[in-house]
Amino acid sequence: MAKKIFRRLRGTQDILPKDQANWSLVNDTFAKLCVDAGYKRIITPIIEDTNLFVRSVGSDSEIVSKEMYTFEDKSGNSLTLRPEGTAPIVRAYLENGLSSHPKPVKLYIVNEPMFRYNRPQAGRYRQFFQIGVEVFGSDNAQTDAQVIALAVRFYQRLNIKFELQINTIGDKYTRKKFKSALTKYFSEVRDKLDETAKMQLSTNPMRLLDSKDKKVIKVCEKAPQILDYLDRDSRNHFEAVLEYLDQLGIEYDLNPKLVRGLDYYNKTVFEFWGSHQGMQNSLGGGGRYDGLVEELGGKPTPAVGFSAGIERILIEIGKTGQRPAVTSPYVFVASLGDEAKKEAFALTEKLLDSGIAALSETNKKNIADQLSKAAKVKADYCLILGKKEILNQTIIVKDMVSGNQETVPIGKIVTTLATRYKSK
Ligand code: AMP
């Protein structure tokens, strides 16, 4: 009698040769965009100390309370297959002294498996793969906008349709006040809640806003809104993020019900929703986590990140097509003065949109510092914007190899660079 063949575990997949082209397309496209924007790759282990996730994601979260693959090793240590990538990266950032590197420290991951013990269905697996970025050391709203712009650029490169949902969940005092307002509100309509919602009410009432249950959604319509409880700093920060997104022409839906299910988030949270309806609609998400580095033993360090599941992106790609990657020069955008810095920020994003690797560091005041950074990162060109250039709507292009420089109209810079590079 033939022996029984083994089957893969429920909620896991074999990525077969026929699927490899698209699989690589997703990872390579994301890696290229990250490298262009000055991110460095990091790989962390698949197993970690269980407490890392309990401390960061939170013991009341769905992930920690229900979905972790936790086991004891032969020495009796409690280990967990990582359910998400941020906490391990923060751990690695602190453990390996990355925290002493010049800020911002910009890291990215591609093709990293994550594990969650949930009920498998289309687009939801027990082992799934993520791409993502984490930026440490910047509390500037521009950084939130840059991370979002990178994600937008990624989906656009792959011709994927998405809706950007964005919200702010304020600081911990905001959330404390907001949670007690929600508890009061939901306690009064307790009989309309299902069992899960009742449990969430006692652990984290903000999660109810995220509920997929029709009755709970109805009850949430009249629930208090976080915007009414927001601290001034978070409000200003959020307004600035939205202004930067407007400046970049990125459309978004303000979604006061978006809370994300992990404890470490504060201020900006966002999600990208795909074209299909239903529970597995999220193509990616992220937000700020300014308190996490300190919570895990480091110095207070603002941070923001984004991650997306590869499988759901592949489902979307199945509905569209593929686009080849582009080769490009490497440009550093230097600027002096507030107006110029704002322009440099938008120009950098525009260059990246056009497939040109670009970097700017608008937190550096001095032009000499910026030029030496341009040389250090081995940029092919340095673009220089000062008050005079803003006034004349021009920009200086310095060829970093020959040292020659010229002035061109700012409206033509992207095409000028693209053609010049091709003829090199
Ligand atoms: P989260 O941290 O839960 O928001 O997850 C970030 C992204 O990872 C989601 O937007 C999905 O694209 C993906 N993702 C999360 N959980 C799963 C899963 N069980 N199966 C497949 N993809 C997932």
Side-chain angles (χ1 to χ4, degrees), residues 202-362:
S202 59
T203 53
N204 184 357
M206 276 169 71
R207 292 307 317 273
L208 267 78
L209 299 176
D210 230 3
S211 174
K212 307 288 183 282
D213 182 88
K214 278 199 185 112
K215 271 201 216 146
V216 182
I217 293 174
K218 185 103 191 91
V219 175
C220 285
E221 277 172 11
K222 293 204 180 113
Q225 301 232 344
I226 195 146
L227 291 172
D228 298 324
Y229 296 83
L230 217 52
D231 55 291
R232 184 186 297 242
D233 181 34
S234 300
R235 182 181 295 276
N236 291 343
H237 183 87
F238 193 48
E239 279 169 8
V241 173
L242 299 182
E243 244 174 63
Y244 287 128
L245 293 178
D246 291 339
Q247 193 192 355
L248 299 175
I250 293 175
E251 288 179 14
Y252 48 79
D253 283 339
L254 285 179
N255 181 345
K257 300 219 157 59
L258 187 74
V259 293
R260 313 248 321 128
L262 296 80
D263 273 8
Y264 53 63
Y265 285 117
N266 71 316
K267 289 190 175 166
T268 320
V269 289
F270 56 90
E271 255 173 39
F272 292 91
W273 290 358
S275 55
H276 54 281
Q277 298 296 316
M279 291 212 357
Q280 309 318 317
N281 191 25
S282 169
L283 288 178
R288 270 208 168 264
Y289 49 95
D290 295 335
L292 184 57
V293 174
E294 194 180 6
E295 180 62 40
L296 294 180
K299 291 202 193 97
T301 308
V304 52
F306 158 77
S307 68
I310 295 179
E311 294 81 356
R312 290 192 199 166
I313 293 165
L314 287 174
I315 295 174
E316 296 293 313
I317 288 184
K319 299 178 193 162
T320 57
Q322 305 181 5
R323 280 176 67 166
V326 282
T327 51
S328 74
Y330 192 14
V331 177
F332 189 92
V333 188
S335 57
L336 196 65
D338 287 346
E339 241 346 81
K341 288 197 180 311
K342 227 173 147 195
E343 186 68 37
F345 157 72
L347 178 59
T348 307
E349 296 301 317
K350 209 161 134 198
L351 289 164
L352 291 166
D353 280 340
S354 320
I356 295 174
L359 191 67
S360 60
E361 286 205 358
T362 50

Side-chain angles (χ1 to χ4, degrees), residues 116 118 123-125 128 130 260 282-285 307-309 312:
R116 293 185 193 174
N118 45 27
R124 187 162 78 183
Y125 303 95
F128 59 99
Q130 281 189 339
R260 313 248 321 128
S282 169
L283 288 178
S307 68
R312 290 192 199 166

Side-chain angles (χ1 to χ4, degrees), residues 135-192:
V135 183
F136 296 98
S138 166
D139 60 4
N140 192 327
Q142 269 188 4
T143 309
D144 309 40
Q146 283 166 330
V147 167
I148 292 171
L150 173 76
V152 166
R153 189 174 302 122
F154 168 65
Y155 295 123
Q156 285 175 341
R157 240 353 112 73
L158 296 172
N159 279 332
I160 291 174
K161 289 208 172 29
F162 61 86
E163 278 170 29
L164 168 59
Q165 305 282 316
I166 191 165
N167 190 22
T168 177
I169 55 170
D171 65 8
K172 57 177 183 247
Y173 304 104
T174 296
R175 288 195 297 286
K176 209 169 158 206
K177 279 187 286 174
F178 183 52
K179 278 181 189 170
S180 61
L182 284 177
T183 306
K184 187 163 174 287
Y185 171 82
F186 285 120
S187 303
E188 282 161 15
V189 290
R190 207 183 150 80
D191 51 319
K192 297 197 179 111

Side-chain angles (χ1 to χ4, degrees), residues 8-13 116 118 120 124-128:
R8 62 177 188 270
L9 299 178
R10 226 179 136 220
T12 66
Q13 290 195 100
R116 293 185 193 174
N118 45 27
R124 187 162 78 183
Y125 303 95
R126 288 180 172 170
Q127 175 177 336
F128 59 99

